[in-house]
Amino acid sequence: MSIVVRDVREHELDSVLALNNAAGPAILPLDAARVRHFYDTAEYFRVALRDDMLAGFLIGVGSGSDHDSSNFRWFRERHADFFYIDRIVVASRRRGGGVGRALYADAQSYAELRYPQMACEVFLEGGHDPALLFHGSFGFREVGQHVMPEVGIRTAMLMKALCSYPWVRETYGDDLPDEDWVRARRTVATTPRLTGTTGR
């Protein structure tokens, strides 16, 4: 019953799409073209498997990305350097079983080598207190609110400082060790990003 987290594979994109669109009102729907765009461009796109079955996924991008989400732009207007979680989805039958925590732990392990903080949002309408509680228990704090103009949904904008980043940056700079667990997705070109850590 272990949870395995790894990079998404191309043949899994249809399953990712189905899982996303079955998630309910807490997650905006996707179409096949958008999932493919994430596959081609997202810095982080990983799936969680439980009993060899797709149990969830997480998609993230760095602050230097040209990601077109209004929530991402909100963070970029206020903060110089961060890793943004566009979405995390866990299959309904797997919720409460540690899949979300496994995905967040993996994403943090990736992000803290490269960014001083993580950012995400949670919808505030429709009774999403469990999602707020989950993020709060994982160390995220609200830094503002934003109404998404494309859908009119108010979101809590959350950030979490990554305490290991200063040490990693001071010790390794841009020359991280060439280890499997450290490498970024090979299919995505590295994008230049800001190096400051203060908000604007």
Side-chain angles (χ1 to χ4, degrees):
M1 295 232 185
S2 62
I3 300 168
V4 175
V5 178
R6 60 159 170 77
D7 282 349
V8 68
R9 296 173 183 162
E10 189 170 12
H11 72 270
E12 295 170 322
L13 296 182
D14 287 344
S15 297
V16 165
L17 176 62
L19 185 59
N20 185 92
N21 292 346
I27 297 290
L28 293 179
L30 293 173
D31 59 24
R34 187 67 171 168
V35 173
R36 181 69 203 202
H37 174 75
F38 280 129
Y39 178 75
D40 291 339
T41 64
E43 181 176 336
Y44 180 103
F45 190 163
R46 306 202 84 192
V47 295
L49 305 176
R50 187 150 200 176
D51 304 327
D52 295 321
M53 301 290 293
L54 181 67
F57 69 90
L58 189 150
I59 299 172
V61 298
S63 47
S65 165
D66 62 356
H67 189 43
D68 60 0
S69 154
S70 68
N71 289 323
F72 174 78
R73 289 194 302 272
W74 187 96
F75 283 114
R76 193 156 67 176
E77 287 166 3
R78 293 161 176 82
H79 301 277
D81 201 13
F82 59 90
F83 179 75
Y84 173 70
I85 297 169
D86 181 85
R87 66 190 58 227
I88 177 173
V89 175
V90 176
S92 58
R93 70 188 183 285
R94 297 298 189 186
R95 290 176 192 159
V99 173
R101 287 196 172 273
L103 283 165
Y104 262 104
D106 186 80
Q108 179 171 322
S109 292
Y110 172 85
E112 67 189 349
L113 302 182
R114 298 164 173 86
Y115 301 95
Q117 48 197 346
M118 293 174 75
C120 66
E121 73 279 339
V122 172
F123 293 173
L124 288 173
E125 299 160 17
H128 298 298
D129 284 346
L132 286 170
L133 178 61
F134 171 85
H135 286 85
S137 71
F138 210 78
F140 285 90
R141 297 294 176 260
E142 185 175 309
V143 294
Q145 293 187 3
H146 170 62
V147 177
M148 300 168 66
E150 61 272 32
V151 290
I153 295 174
R154 180 174 293 278
T155 59
M157 311 302 278
L158 310 177
M159 296 197 89
K160 173 183 181 173
L162 299 178
C163 300
S164 299
Y165 174 78
W167 179 86
V168 172
R169 190 76 188 161
E170 181 179 316
T171 306
Y172 294 98
D174 291 322
D175 190 26
L176 294 172
D178 186 24
E179 299 288 339
D180 286 343
W181 70 273
V182 174
R183 291 186 196 115
R185 291 181 68 213
R186 294 183 185 275
T187 56
V188 178
T190 303
T191 338
R193 61 188 180 86
L194 302 170
T195 56
T197 58
T198 58
R200 297 190 275 182

